[in-house]
Amino acid sequence: MIAVIVPAHNEAADVGRCLKSIALAAKHPGLQSEPVVTVVALDACTDETPEVCAHHGAAAITVEARCVGAARAAAASHALALGARWIASTDADSHVPRDWLWKQAACGADAFCGVVEVRDWLDYPSTVRQAFARRELARDGHRHIHGANLGVSAAAYQGVGGFPQLVTGEDVALVQALQRSGATIAWRARPVVTTSARRSARAPHGFSGFLRALEREVLEARATLLPSGELVR
């Protein structure tokens, strides 16, 4: 069995689209009808996220941590208890492609690290989009780590103790632990997960925080230039 884990804190507006994409990925013929379960960790939700998850048939567990690391870890523990051999991770504001689970499970490694693209840049200036494209190199062998496009075998996950209960960076910490353990990791450019550029961060210093920091960096660099192109001294 394959499990998909999704941490969610007040994600009623986005999680339905995410769960629909997972349901399509679960039906890919390459999986040869292997069962797929989606586990959503409802972390201190006060909106209609539980109802949306129930409507889409996702298994839901409740935590009161306000901590993405704790939420992912709880969802993974539930998935392992159900008998999952592979754990794929994404985020509630993300959309996975149809071949996502198939390519992860068939990657030939202990873990899979993929890249992300932004579906709607909202009010971000084009220079931020360009800066992101330069940094998020979509090629095999990249070294990007995104909780929205991550997968790991149950054995490798349990071997390193799982996701640490961090308010941010739990995905990076897990992959670093896997590297130290000698686990094999497939750093793949495909399949790509689409995510949002929302400014309302759920995890401090997460992807939303990264984009805002990138925006500040770009704007500060622009501010150091005079109209003539000369550097401000």
Side-chain angles (χ1 to χ4, degrees):
M1 185 184 75
I2 295 171
V4 182
I5 60 171
V6 184
H9 169 66
N10 291 344
E11 295 284 6
D14 294 311
V15 72
R17 185 174 186 270
C18 173
L19 295 176
K20 284 181 181 179
S21 72
I22 294 170
L24 286 175
K27 296 176 181 177
H28 194 284
L31 294 177
Q32 300 181 337
S33 300
E34 181 173 2
V36 175
V37 62
T38 301
V39 182
V40 180
L42 304 168
D43 190 3
C45 290
T46 57
D47 66 353
E48 295 180 351
T49 302
E51 289 78 9
V52 176
C53 292
H55 176 74
H56 288 277
I61 60 170
T62 302
V63 296
E64 294 292 335
R66 292 296 298 270
C67 171
V68 66
R72 272 197 227 276
S77 293
H78 187 77
L80 291 170
L82 294 175
R85 70 172 183 88
W86 183 269
I87 299 170
S89 171
T90 193
D91 290 332
D93 64 333
S94 299
H95 181 276
V96 306
R98 191 165 180 263
D99 62 350
W100 184 61
L101 290 174
W102 170 49
K103 290 290 182 66
Q104 277 206 16
C107 72
D110 297 313
F112 173 96
C113 288
V115 299
V116 300
E117 63 183 12
V118 177
R119 66 173 178 265
D120 183 352
W121 283 94
L122 304 175
D123 60 339
Y124 280 101
S126 61
T127 48
V128 175
R129 181 173 185 168
Q130 294 161 5
F132 176 77
R134 289 193 296 270
R135 297 192 184 192
E136 187 75 4
L137 296 176
R139 65 188 182 195
D140 288 348
H142 67 85
R143 285 299 184 268
H144 305 298
I145 301 172
H146 298 286
N149 193 3
L150 180 66
V152 60
S153 72
Y157 180 84
Q158 291 175 299
V160 298
F163 284 106
Q165 298 193 17
L166 302 174
V167 295
T168 191
E170 79 294 340
D171 46 1
V172 174
L174 174 67
V175 172
Q176 289 175 339
L178 289 168
Q179 290 176 307
R180 290 193 298 270
S181 76
T184 56
I185 300 175
W187 303 88
R188 300 288 169 81
R190 296 287 186 273
V192 180
V193 167
T194 304
T195 194
S196 75
R198 65 186 182 188
R199 291 181 178 273
S200 56
R202 297 297 191 271
H205 310 298
F207 189 68
S208 175
F210 164 73
L211 289 182
R212 294 199 309 275
L214 186 59
E215 180 183 39
R216 289 193 299 272
E217 179 181 316
V218 168
L219 295 178
E220 288 170 1
R222 180 189 296 175
T224 64
L225 296 173
L226 292 171
S228 63
E230 296 178 0
L231 288 176
V232 174
R233 301 296 181 185

